[in-house]
């Protein structure tokens, strides 16, 4: 299933994409695509529905129907840094002996095609296409062998980053990672039955039609199952938590000389099988 949330920001309703690419309303079955609606038994119930019998939502994302972030009420938005060896190299940093973990504030979360705002005072706003993992069944001390049973689905994430705030302003990376609109999620939450191997997905990003990133999750240093197990040693993972698993090479900071986003530009990015995001860049 390609699950989604549609409607105005803050008032999204749950939906699902049908075989023709139209949006069907799920609000007769769940109140939101969030929390307990992401548990395995709840997703199995949705999987039994005849999608073509669900109410058709007028309009399409191509015709202006807004898609919201594909998960609601996210409790934790956890990110992994330097998880592709070639991206670590372009950043001038070593592949870390254990995963680098940082956070994005949940107020950064926005819809997949919402405008991305360059924060005031920013001169180094950058892009990062990533595979997002959404937790279904929560847990603590999850064994790597059991980890994939905790996945509700996958989505595209743009880990938008302000490099000066991140690296040159003292302290952790978080100041440059959690600004408002720095976390587009979606368009869809794709259930694992449609993603047989999350470690063989191509992912790419373009700025104004120019290809900047072109990678594969096959070159991740720490794969999804390991990351779930690893993170669950430090925190309990809960339904609706989002893990963004790192970015392949081609970020603006890695260009020689570096290039950063300007208001008026457009980002397009996608992960194989998980859909495409399109964001206009604006000044906050
Ligand atoms: Zn990232």
């Amino acid at each position: 299933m390609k699950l989604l949330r549609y409607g105005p920001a803050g008032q999204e309703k749950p939906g699902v994409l049908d075989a023709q690419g139209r949006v069907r309303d799920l609000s007769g079955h769940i109140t939101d695509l969030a929390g307990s609606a992401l548990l395995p038994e709840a997703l199995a119930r949705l999987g039994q529905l005849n999608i073509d019998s669900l109410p058709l939502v007028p309009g399409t994302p191509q015709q202006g129907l807004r898609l919201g972030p594909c998960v609601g009420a996210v409790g934790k938005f956890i990110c992994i840094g330097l998880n592709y060896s070639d991206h670590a190299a372009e950043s001038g940093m070593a592949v870390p002996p254990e995963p680098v973990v940082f956070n994005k504030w949940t107020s950064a979360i926005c819809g997949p095609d919402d405008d991305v705002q360059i924060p005031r005072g920013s001169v180094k706003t950058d892009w990062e296409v990533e595979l997002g993992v959404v937790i279904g069944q929560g847990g603590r001390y999850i064994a790597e062998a059991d980890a994939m049973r905790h996945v509700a689905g996958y989505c595209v994430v743009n880990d938008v980053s302000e490099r000066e705030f991140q690296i040159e302003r003292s302290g952790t990376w978080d100041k440059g990672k959690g600004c408002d609109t720095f976390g587009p999620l979606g368009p869809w939450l794709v259930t694992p039955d449609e993603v047989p191997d999350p470690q063989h997905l191509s992912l790419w990003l373009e700025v104004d039609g120019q290809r900047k990133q072109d990678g594969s999750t096959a070159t991740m240093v720490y794969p999804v199952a390991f990351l779930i197990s690893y993170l669950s040693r430090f925190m309990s993972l809960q339904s609706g938590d989002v893990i963004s698993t790192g970015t392949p090479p081609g970020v603006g900071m890695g260009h020689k000389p570096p290039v950063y986003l300007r208001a008026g530009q457009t980002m397009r990015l996608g992960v194989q099988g998980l859909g495409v995001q399109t964001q206009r860049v604006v000044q906050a």
Side-chain angles (χ1 to χ4, degrees), residues 80 102 128 130 159 177 246-247:
I80 307 300
F102 62 92
E128 295 191 350
E130 306 198 0
D159 176 18
K177 292 288 193 172
T247 200

Side-chain angles (χ1 to χ4, degrees), residues 32-268:
D32 197 0
L33 202 55
S36 59
L38 300 168
L39 292 171
E41 55 271 27
L43 291 176
R45 273 198 300 277
L46 292 183
Q48 299 300 313
L49 296 173
N50 176 6
I51 288 178
D52 292 331
S53 72
L54 296 169
L56 194 59
V57 176
T60 66
Q62 290 73 32
Q63 296 163 345
L65 176 69
R66 177 182 178 272
L67 296 183
C70 60
V71 195
V74 174
K76 294 194 286 300
F77 192 172
I78 310 153
C79 296
I80 307 300
L82 305 173
N83 197 26
Y84 288 75
S85 51
D86 28 13
H87 169 61
E90 75 172 350
S91 306
M93 300 188 207
V95 171
E98 290 192 36
V100 169
V101 178
F102 62 92
N103 297 288
K104 286 171 97 78
W105 323 126
T106 54
S107 44
I109 293 171
C110 63
D113 303 323
D114 289 351
D115 291 350
V116 164
Q117 298 177 14
I118 296 178
R120 294 180 191 176
S122 161
V123 291
K124 296 184 179 177
T125 298
D126 202 349
W127 54 81
E128 295 191 350
V129 61
E130 306 198 0
L131 170 67
V133 178
V134 177
I135 295 296
Q137 180 73 58
R140 191 179 179 201
Y141 303 123
I142 296 167
E144 193 173 342
D146 296 332
M148 302 313 269
R149 294 198 283 116
H150 293 261
V151 176
Y154 301 93
C155 65
V156 181
V157 178
N158 189 353
D159 176 18
V160 183
S161 305
E162 214 296 339
R163 303 302 183 189
E164 188 198 8
F165 296 3
Q166 175 191 348
I167 298 166
E168 301 168 35
R169 293 288 191 91
S170 306
T172 71
W173 290 2
D174 296 4
K175 279 183 278 188
K177 292 288 193 172
C179 305
D180 286 17
T181 74
F182 273 23
L185 299 182
W188 314 312
L189 175 65
V190 182
T191 49
D193 54 296
E194 295 191 17
V195 188
D197 185 357
Q199 302 306 147
H200 280 95
L201 303 175
S202 59
L203 64 176
W204 55 272
L205 181 145
E206 295 173 353
V207 178
D208 286 346
Q210 207 178 44
R211 188 62 63 112
K212 298 290 190 186
Q213 294 189 275
D214 222 343
S216 167
T217 59
T219 66
M220 270 188 199
V221 178
Y222 301 107
V224 172
F226 177 85
L227 291 173
I228 291 170
S229 173
Y230 181 81
L231 290 170
S232 77
R233 297 180 212 166
F234 303 100
M235 65 190 86
S236 60
L237 292 171
Q238 297 167 329
S239 305
D241 286 349
V242 176
I243 303 167
S244 201
T245 57
T247 200
V251 301
M253 180 176 62
H255 285 59
K256 303 217 173 2
V259 287
Y260 295 109
L261 292 166
R262 297 185 307 274
Q265 292 187 309
T266 299
M267 290 184 278
R268 280 186 83 239

